[in-house]
Amino acid sequence: MTVTTATTATTVSTAGTVTTGTKAPDGGAAPVPVLWLALLATPLAAGANAPVLILPGMARSLGVTTDTATWLLTAFGWATAVGTPLLAGLLRRRGLPALLKVSTLLVLGGTLLLAAAPWLPLAMAGRCAQAAGGAGLVAAAIGLAGSARRMGVISAGFGMLGAAGPLLGRALADAVSWRAALAVSALALLAVPAVGRHAGAQLPPAPGRFDGRGAALLTAFATALVLLPAAPLAALAGALVAVVPLALHVRRRPDGFVPAALLRRPVFVLSALLALTLSASYFTLLFSVPRLLADRAGWDTAAAGTGQLVALLAGSALSWPLAAASARMGRPAVRTVLVAVGALAALTGIFATSGPLLLAATAAGVFTASSANAVLSTHAVGAAGDPAHRPAAIGLFTLCYQLGGAFGPAVAALLVLGAR
C-alpha cells in the first residue's frame, strides 16, 4: 500500500541536537494545513470587534458609563499591539510548543475571568489576557504560513471575521449574554492541538538568553504610541522618553529583542511602514464611512451598516487573489498596486459624495490592508535573513500593522466624527 500522507522523521540539526518533526514524503517539512492556521489566527479579529454594538449593555452590567466601557476596546488593542512582539520573542527563545502553551493559557484564563468579572478592571484584565494570547497565536500562524498564498487565506479570513464581528457579537449577546460574545476569540483554541501536532519541530528556539531590557523598552514605546490618539501630548512625551534608550540598547545589544540587522534591511523597514500606512488608512475609512454615508448620501444607519458589511466582506475576499499572485508579480509590482489602490481609496473617501463610491472606498481600503498583511508580512519575514530573527520580524511587522489600527480611529475622530 502506498502511503501519501506525511511521515514522522528524526533529524539532526546544525547545532547537533536531535529533533523529531513531521516530514513530507520528499523529506521536507510538511506545512501545517492552512485552514488550521486560519482557525488559529482569525477568531482574534471577531473577538476584537464583538463589543462594538453591545457596549451600552456591557456598561450597564458593569455599572459604568458607555464612554468608560470603551476602555475595554482600548485595552484589547493595546494588549494585541504589545503582546505581539513579546509573544514573538517567546517563540524566538523557547520555540513553538512554549508559545502555543502560554498563548492557550492566556486566552483560556482571560475568557474565564471575563465570564465571572463583576467589575470593569477585572473585565479589562481578562480582555488584555485574551488579546495577548490571541496575538501569540497569530504570530504562530504567520510563522507557519510559509508563503504569501497561504498567508492570503489567513489575512482574508481575518478581514472577514473582523467585518462580521460586531453583528456576531450582538447576536450572541441577544441569545446568551455579552460575556458569551466576548468569548468568541477562544474558538482559536480548537486549532491548537492540530497545529502543534502538524508543526512538529518547525520554528525551533534560537540560542541565547532573553533580552528583558529590550522587551521592556519596546513595550513602553509601543504603549506610548497606542495611547497617542487618547492623550497626544503625554503619549508623545512618553514615546520620546522610551525611544532614545531603546535605540541605545539596540546599539549595545544588536542581537537582542529588536535585532539591529532587521532595522538595517530596507525591505523589512519599507514593508513595515507601508503596512502601518495602509492599515491606518483602512481603519480611518472604517470609522469614517458610516458618518459620511449619512452626511453626504443621506443613508440611514441600517443601510449604511449593511452596505459597509458587504463592502468589507468583498474587499477581504479579493485580497486573496492578489496574495496568491504576488510571487509571480514581484515586490515592486505588488507595492505599486497596494500604494495605487490605497491612495485611490483615501482620495475617494475624502471627495466622494455618492454612497456606492464611499462603499467602494471601504472595500478598496480593506483590500489593501488585508493584502498588505498577507504579502508584506512574507516580504518582512523573508528579509530577516537569519532564521533566528524571523520571529522578531513577525512581531515587529505585526506591531506596525496594529499601530495603524490604533491611529486610524483617531484620524477619523479628528477629521470626520468630531466635525459636527
Side-chain angles (χ1 to χ4, degrees):
M1 184 177 70
T2 302
V3 180
T4 57
T5 57
T7 58
T8 300
T10 301
T11 60
V12 181
S13 70
T14 56
T17 57
V18 179
T19 58
T20 301
T22 302
K23 292 290 181 180
D26 61 0
V32 179
V34 70
L35 293 182
W36 284 122
L37 297 181
L39 179 58
L40 189 71
T42 56
L44 180 69
N49 293 343
V52 169
L53 299 178
I54 59 174
L55 269 178
M58 293 167 53
R60 287 192 298 271
S61 176
L62 294 170
V64 298
T65 66
T66 301
D67 287 344
T68 303
T70 59
W71 279 103
L72 287 167
L73 302 179
T74 303
F76 195 95
W78 169 80
T80 302
V82 302
T84 299
L86 289 176
L87 272 293
L90 177 66
L91 172 64
R92 180 183 177 189
R93 293 305 182 197
R94 295 291 181 265
L96 182 65
L99 174 65
L100 293 178
K101 183 180 297 184
V102 171
S103 298
T104 297
L105 290 175
L106 285 170
V107 172
L108 185 59
T111 301
L112 292 176
L113 185 58
L114 269 172
W119 308 296
L120 180 64
L122 284 179
M124 288 176 60
R127 288 292 279 171
C128 287
Q130 280 185 322
L137 298 179
V138 171
I142 295 174
L144 292 168
S147 71
R149 178 188 293 269
R150 284 160 54 83
M151 189 60 207
V153 175
I154 298 170
S155 188
F158 210 86
M160 289 180 176
L161 282 186
L167 294 180
L168 177 61
R170 186 168 65 182
L172 287 172
D174 292 342
V176 186
S177 76
W178 65 265
R179 298 178 190 272
L182 299 194
V184 68
S185 59
L187 291 174
L189 300 183
L190 297 175
V192 170
V195 170
R197 183 172 62 252
H198 282 285
Q202 297 181 48
L203 304 180
R209 61 187 178 87
F210 182 73
D211 179 14
R213 180 177 175 82
L217 290 171
L218 180 65
T219 299
F221 180 58
T223 300
L225 293 179
V226 168
L227 295 177
L228 192 61
L233 293 179
L236 184 59
L240 292 175
V241 168
V243 74
V244 174
L246 176 60
L248 294 174
H249 180 76
V250 170
R251 292 191 65 180
R252 285 195 301 266
R253 190 168 176 183
D255 289 324
F257 193 80
V258 181
L262 276 180
L263 304 182
R264 298 191 190 105
R265 294 185 179 271
V267 172
F268 173 81
V269 174
L270 180 60
S271 298
L273 292 179
L274 184 55
L276 188 155
T277 302
L278 293 173
S279 174
S281 176
Y282 158 58
F283 281 101
T284 301
L285 287 167
L286 180 67
F287 283 85
S288 300
V289 164
R291 173 66 62 84
L292 296 177
L293 286 170
D295 292 349
R296 297 179 184 177
W299 288 28
D300 60 27
T301 302
T306 302
Q308 189 173 38
L309 176 62
V310 172
L312 291 172
L313 292 174
S316 299
L318 289 173
S319 68
W320 184 81
L322 178 64
S326 61
R328 296 191 303 272
M329 294 172 62
R331 289 176 184 172
V334 170
R335 290 174 187 157
T336 299
V337 170
L338 292 176
V339 171
V341 177
L344 182 61
L347 290 172
T348 302
I350 292 171
F351 296 110
T353 57
S354 163
L357 283 178
L358 288 170
L359 292 179
T362 302
V366 72
F367 165 79
T368 56
S370 296
S371 299
N373 194 28
V375 179
L376 299 182
S377 64
T378 60
H379 293 177
V381 175
D386 186 348
H389 292 162
R390 290 178 184 175
I394 293 170
L396 295 174
F397 174 88
T398 309
L399 172 62
C400 289
Y401 185 87
Q402 296 292 346
L403 287 175
F407 296 155
V411 175
L414 179 64
L415 298 181
V416 177
L417 302 182
R420 291 179 64 172

